[in-house]
Amino acid sequence: MPVAFLVVSAANPLSLPGVARSPPRYSPRVRHRLASRRWLNFSNRPLDSGRFGHLSSRCSMTDTDVQYDHVATDGEVLSEKSARETECPVPVVHLKPDILESDSSSILTARAFVDSLLTALPVLSVEEQNALAAIPAHPAGLYALYANCLAGNLVEQLWNFAWPSAIALLHPSLLPVAVMGFIAKLAIIAGGPLVGKLMDSFPRLPAYNFLNTLQAAAQLLSAAMIIRAHSIPRTYASTVIFRPWFIVLVLAGAVERLCGIALGVAMERDWVVLLAGVNRPIALAQANAVLNRIDLLCEIAGASLFGILLAKYDPVTCLKSAAGLMIFLLPVTVLLAWLTNKLSTGVLDRPKSLHNCCKSCNGGTVNENDSIAGVGVEAIKLGWKEYIQQPVLPASLAYVLLYFNVVLAPGSLMTAFLTQRGLNPSVIGGFSGLCAFMGVAATFVSANLVKHLGILKAGAAGLLFQASLLTIAVAVYWSGSLSQQCPLLFFLSLIVLSRLGHMSYDVVGAQILQTGIPSSKANLIGTTEISVASLAESVMLGVAIVANDSSHFGILAMLSLMSVVGAAWMFCRWLLNPTDEQRSLFAFDIQ
């Protein structure tokens, strides 16, 4: 059994460079045996206070399970010193008995002083605790993160509107756009866990800069392919998907989507938690609300900007302008990422996992014989395993279930349905714009809900609000009165209001996952969750392809409603039956 020896000298200060500093911790067995050895007190002289000034008050040692059946003399210690230094990992030091001389009354006096000092410490009131919970840990770093998200999301949202618009001008068919969207979903499903695992294995800033550069390169390549397509004679849509430029466009689009998803997960699940503070729920809720607000505003601004350019200039000129904006903002985002870390005193340089740090220190490396396919399969398996074992799985599954709602929400299917109903295009555009602005309003509402109800109850309130309004909307549809103008507008207004609950849970649910998932697994679990959500959305799109007639819209609406109701039921059941792990994670939230 390894033995640790402590050397204390009156002449030399206690200096143990190899021992980590921490509050002293003694086992009851060691304290009892020390107290039973009366012969350690060689005299009753009071303890020299000057000697205490050279002692470190904080020291911790490992392997201190010592048996005091035999106490070595000075000669024995000197003779065995060289052998123990080579065998024992703990430094061997000499024990001078005169430093242990103390008076029991002095010890009692010191203990009474410490007790009085601890009892005099102030205790924060509830208002003071709430005020502290609303202050971010690194406010300057958060502002730099907001600026970074503004620059990055503006380019991404502009491109998300630009490429389908430019391709739609090539061919009136929806087949090219549908093929690109479907391949992108498959890439997210298959490659999401692998990208998340790689991001968890590398430092934050280098991984961010690499993915950001790769995304910009994929966007520029896609823009070049679309410009190339506009310069050649047009062909049938069925033959376009086999052209070399379209194959390159599909692959570049899949890479761009993977990078965008990974960067979003890193920002929303990892960086913002470190900057706002995981133990400051109000500040974290406000930061999440600001990030969602920026994303929605960039969505509106990006679509409006490219739409204005497309109305005045030809598609090639618009694509060149978008490419120029990408090139200009790429170094800006890299600089802002560095500034975020600089203003937060290097918080983004913290290691993500103690296991990874120990593995790197021990020289652990990845097997070079493993193929890329094997690594990818193992990453997918690990991602699904960690996703299923996460402590906040019901909240994540509720988030995934909301992706089954592809009908009772603004999107391509709702736009096609309203167009076939003969609704004015300006009304359809106003419907989409109101849904986006309702999402912005939800970012303000969610922060107040977290402040007054707590994280878990705020999430339940958002889901119940959305489910109740969509239930009324489906009832209005099945009443058969949508052929009239007023019932149709009432149906749309209910969907617009339901977006308030949907986006509120989107913000609150992100905070729940931020609190429950450790930073060492945030990217892996986050990208796996996006993969599962993409799978759910793909399933509903497949159902919509089969039931593509407008007369089947009611069936699709019922399936969408059932998914929202199921999400609300699952989350409320988890809230009403908390586990011990849930109580420990959300101790400030559960009453």
Side-chain angles (χ1 to χ4, degrees):
M1 178 179 298
V3 181
F5 293 88
L6 178 66
V7 176
V8 181
S9 177
N12 299 323
L14 181 60
S15 177
L16 298 177
V19 181
R21 293 177 174 266
S22 64
R25 300 175 64 182
Y26 310 102
S27 64
R29 181 169 56 182
V30 173
R31 285 200 302 266
H32 174 72
R33 290 179 179 175
L34 282 174
S36 63
R37 299 309 190 217
R38 294 293 184 183
W39 49 271
L40 288 176
N41 292 328
F42 291 94
S43 65
N44 294 327
R45 291 178 300 171
L47 182 65
D48 187 3
S49 60
R51 294 174 180 173
F52 248 8
H54 298 290
L55 296 180
S56 174
S57 61
R58 302 174 64 190
C59 178
S60 65
M61 296 185 296
T62 59
D63 300 330
T64 57
D65 190 7
V66 182
Q67 299 292 337
Y68 288 95
D69 297 331
H70 174 69
V71 178
T73 62
D74 291 341
E76 293 173 335
V77 170
L78 292 174
S79 62
E80 298 177 1
K81 178 179 179 181
S82 60
R84 285 171 179 166
E85 285 178 347
T86 59
E87 298 177 359
C88 183
V90 180
V92 179
V93 292
H94 289 289
L95 180 63
K96 297 297 183 181
D98 56 346
I99 199 63
L100 299 177
E101 300 169 359
S102 61
D103 187 16
S104 59
S105 61
S106 301
I107 296 177
L108 292 176
T109 304
R111 181 178 301 174
F113 171 74
V114 173
D115 292 340
S116 63
L117 179 63
L118 292 177
T119 54
L121 291 176
V123 178
L124 297 179
S125 62
V126 177
E127 292 78 9
E128 292 172 336
Q129 293 178 15
N130 291 334
L132 181 62
I135 301 176
H138 304 280
L142 265 182
Y143 286 120
L145 179 68
Y146 296 155
N148 191 3
C149 290
L150 181 63
N153 286 355
L154 180 60
V155 173
E156 185 173 346
Q157 295 297 343
L158 184 145
W159 181 246
N160 288 341
F161 183 82
W163 73 262
S165 303
I167 294 178
L169 293 176
L170 284 172
H171 299 282
S173 174
L174 295 177
L175 182 60
V177 177
V179 170
M180 282 197 63
F182 184 74
I183 297 299
K185 295 294 182 184
L186 291 181
I188 294 173
I189 295 171
L194 176 60
V195 175
K197 184 176 184 299
L198 292 177
M199 290 190 67
D200 284 332
S201 303
F202 290 94
R204 292 180 178 88
L205 284 181
Y208 170 83
N209 293 333
F210 173 76
L211 288 176
N212 197 16
T213 305
L214 184 61
Q215 183 186 25
Q219 291 171 348
L220 292 174
L221 181 59
S222 300
M225 292 299 103
I226 299 176
I227 292 174
R228 167 65 180 169
H230 276 275
S231 63
I232 60 177
R234 299 184 181 183
T235 57
Y236 293 102
S238 58
T239 61
V240 167
I241 60 177
F242 300 106
R243 291 297 182 93
W245 67 265
F246 186 78
I247 296 175
V248 175
L249 178 62
V250 169
L251 295 178
V255 172
E256 191 272 336
R257 276 295 78 218
L258 262 179
C259 294
I261 292 297
L263 290 173
V265 169
M267 289 285 189
E268 297 174 2
R269 301 291 175 85
D270 188 15
W271 289 31
V272 70
V273 178
L274 294 174
L275 296 174
V278 67
N279 57 345
R280 305 189 182 194
I282 300 177
L284 186 56
Q286 293 173 348
N288 289 329
V290 172
L291 290 180
N292 280 269
R293 214 171 293 153
I294 291 174
D295 185 60
L296 291 169
L297 292 176
C298 288
E299 181 179 354
I300 298 172
S304 302
L305 178 61
F306 194 83
I308 294 173
L309 290 176
L310 199 59
K312 294 184 177 181
Y313 305 99
D314 60 281
V316 174
T317 303
C318 296
L319 289 173
K320 290 180 179 180
S321 301
L325 183 63
M326 297 170 192
I327 297 174
F328 172 74
L329 289 181
L330 176 60
V332 174
T333 55
V334 173
L335 178 62
L336 288 174
W338 174 84
L339 186 62
T340 301
N341 189 43
K342 184 72 174 179
L343 294 177
S344 59
T345 63
V347 69
L348 298 180
D349 293 331
R350 293 180 182 176
K352 299 180 181 180
S353 174
L354 182 61
H355 173 72
N356 292 339
C357 293
C358 296
K359 185 176 179 180
S360 61
C361 292
N362 295 331
T365 57
V366 181
N367 189 2
E368 297 179 355
N369 296 326
D370 293 342
S371 62
I372 297 178
V375 173
V377 172
E378 290 299 324
I380 294 175
K381 291 181 180 179
L382 179 62
W384 280 90
K385 179 182 177 181
E386 295 291 346
Y387 178 77
I388 295 175
Q389 294 179 352
Q390 63 173 314
V392 289
L393 179 61
S396 179
L397 290 178
Y399 176 79
V400 170
L401 282 174
L402 295 179
Y403 273 79
F404 281 96
N405 178 22
V406 297
V407 174
L408 300 176
S412 58
L413 293 178
M414 176 59 74
T415 302
F417 170 75
L418 296 177
T419 302
Q420 293 178 0
R421 285 280 179 175
L423 201 62
N424 193 299
S426 61
V427 177
I428 300 176
F431 166 74
S432 301
L434 285 176
C435 288
F437 279 109
M438 195 60 64
V440 176
T443 60
F444 295 95
V445 174
S446 60
N448 291 327
L449 286 176
V450 171
K451 184 176 181 180
H452 293 91
L453 300 179
I455 300 177
L456 300 181
K457 292 180 181 179
L463 289 175
L464 292 175
F465 183 77
Q466 182 185 10
S468 59
L469 289 178
L470 291 183
T471 301
I472 301 175
V474 172
V476 171
Y477 175 85
W478 282 105
S479 65
S481 59
L482 288 187
S483 57
Q484 303 176 7
Q485 188 79 3
C486 290
L488 180 60
L489 294 178
F490 180 64
F491 171 77
L492 295 179
S493 64
L494 290 173
I495 295 178
V496 169
L497 290 176
S498 71
R499 301 302 294 175
L500 185 64
H502 174 85
M503 294 305 300
S504 296
Y505 181 76
D506 187 67
V507 176
V508 175
Q511 184 173 352
I512 294 174
L513 298 175
Q514 291 165 346
T515 306
I517 299 176
S519 61
S520 60
K521 302 177 182 178
N523 293 300
L524 177 62
I525 296 178
T527 51
T528 304
E529 181 189 62
I530 298 298
S531 300
V532 178
S534 299
L535 179 62
E537 192 173 1
S538 300
V539 169
M540 283 300 294
L541 289 175
V543 175
I545 291 174
V546 175
N548 53 16
D549 193 84
S550 60
S551 61
H552 299 147
F553 184 84
I555 299 176
L556 298 176
M558 283 298 301
L559 292 176
S560 297
L561 175 62
M562 290 172 61
S563 66
V564 176
V565 173
W569 172 82
M570 179 179 295
F571 187 87
C572 292
R573 185 175 180 272
W574 179 61
L575 177 60
L576 295 176
N577 299 280
T579 61
D580 294 338
E581 192 170 14
Q582 178 185 349
R583 293 180 184 275
S584 63
L585 289 173
F586 305 97
F588 53 87
D589 193 64
I590 301 177
Q591 302 294 334

